[in-house]
Amino acid sequence: MGCDWASIASRVHGRLRDGDEVEARRLEQPLEELRRCFVEELFGDGVREAREWVARLNEAVERVKRVLGVQGVLCPKELLSFLRDPLAHLAKKLFNYAYDLARGRISVDEFRRTAEAAARTSLRTNLRSVYEAWVYLNLVAQVVEQGGGELVFPEHPHLLFERSGRQRSGAIPPNAVVRVEGRGYLSFYVEAPRPVGWADTSDLSRSWRLYIALRPDLMVYGGLVMDILRDDDP
């Protein structure tokens, strides 16, 4: 028998007062149960779909490890949390809403609306990232398998899916570069051109067009392209 999030929400609503540490400890378990029950009841099908795609992505990771000889794939922290446990990740997104409910700052109906919106956004965003990563990893592996060749960038033994911190110098480097035997190089860019960071606000104004530009899920350039930001870009 499934849990009833609405019943739990009604029981905890307004019970927590500022500074009441004893009641706060009592509510830890019910509030955790509330968050998990909420996700299970409203997003059970989505969580099951997510777990299926996580399994597919793990297969793609094993494929690139085998084909490219890398040790693994570096992903953003947000995506890593989702990959470890989609249900727990979504439930964690509801932490503040659950405590607002317990403090009486929002009603049960308001909790449902805000929590549902937050969980849905997180689920959709992370599912999109999982599918995007699956396509990227399988494409790189397919190129090497069919065309022969090797991974030449990055130099360390991990394939890059994340871009965090890699564009702070005002350049946009690739996620991967593959050398194909007898045909040259292919440079892969995931979710470029933004974000890009410069040292000060005047330089940031130069990059504004990049922030409002279209951001393809994946771009592949022919040749060894280590930076797609041209000198004449704003």
Side-chain angles (χ1 to χ4, degrees), residues 15-194:
R15 280 178 51 183
L16 184 59
R17 299 289 181 265
D18 291 341
D20 191 344
E21 296 182 3
V22 174
E23 187 65 16
R25 286 194 293 272
R26 288 178 184 151
L27 287 173
E28 285 179 0
Q29 192 275 333
L31 290 177
E32 180 179 353
E33 184 181 0
L34 166 65
R35 292 183 285 119
R36 291 187 69 89
C37 284
F38 187 89
V39 173
E40 288 176 355
E41 186 171 333
L42 274 69
F43 297 95
D45 290 342
V47 169
R48 283 186 285 275
E49 180 185 3
R51 286 171 174 159
E52 291 173 1
W53 272 104
V54 168
R56 292 189 181 107
L57 181 58
N58 287 335
E59 291 174 358
V61 170
E62 292 304 313
R63 183 185 183 191
V64 296
K65 287 167 65 175
R66 183 181 69 255
V67 173
L68 277 66
V70 296
Q71 295 178 7
V73 178
L74 298 182
C75 297
K77 290 181 180 179
E78 170 79 8
L79 181 57
L80 278 177
S81 172
F82 185 79
L83 295 177
R84 291 189 189 102
D85 188 338
L87 191 153
H89 180 83
L90 296 180
K92 184 169 61 177
K93 296 296 181 181
L94 311 185
F95 184 89
N96 289 334
Y97 305 117
Y99 272 90
D100 282 345
L101 176 73
R103 293 186 178 100
R105 294 176 181 173
I106 60 175
S107 67
V108 174
D109 287 340
E110 288 171 324
F111 171 79
R112 171 168 182 144
R113 289 196 300 271
T114 54
E116 185 176 2
R120 179 178 291 108
T121 297
S122 181
L123 178 61
R124 288 177 175 174
T125 300
N126 282 289
L127 273 175
R128 177 181 179 274
S129 295
V130 170
Y131 178 69
E132 186 179 84
W134 179 81
V135 171
Y136 163 61
L137 298 181
N138 278 301
L139 183 58
V140 173
Q142 189 79 1
V143 166
V144 173
E145 278 184 331
Q146 291 191 346
E150 60 182 347
L151 183 72
V152 297
F153 179 86
E155 296 87 355
H156 55 71
H158 289 83
L159 196 60
L160 298 172
F161 181 65
E162 53 86 28
R163 303 196 66 84
S164 176
R166 301 183 55 241
Q167 299 180 181
R168 293 176 181 171
S169 62
I172 303 179
N175 289 80
V177 178
V178 171
R179 182 184 62 81
V180 182
E181 291 183 4
R183 306 192 68 175
Y185 297 89
L186 289 174
S187 302
F188 295 81
Y189 287 78
V190 178
E191 289 209 358
R194 63 184 191 275

Side-chain angles (χ1 to χ4, degrees), residues 193-198 204 207-215:
R194 63 184 191 275
V196 180
W198 271 266
L204 180 60
S207 68
W208 184 247
R209 279 179 52 189
L210 294 172
Y211 280 85
I212 61 176
L214 295 175
R215 181 170 59 175

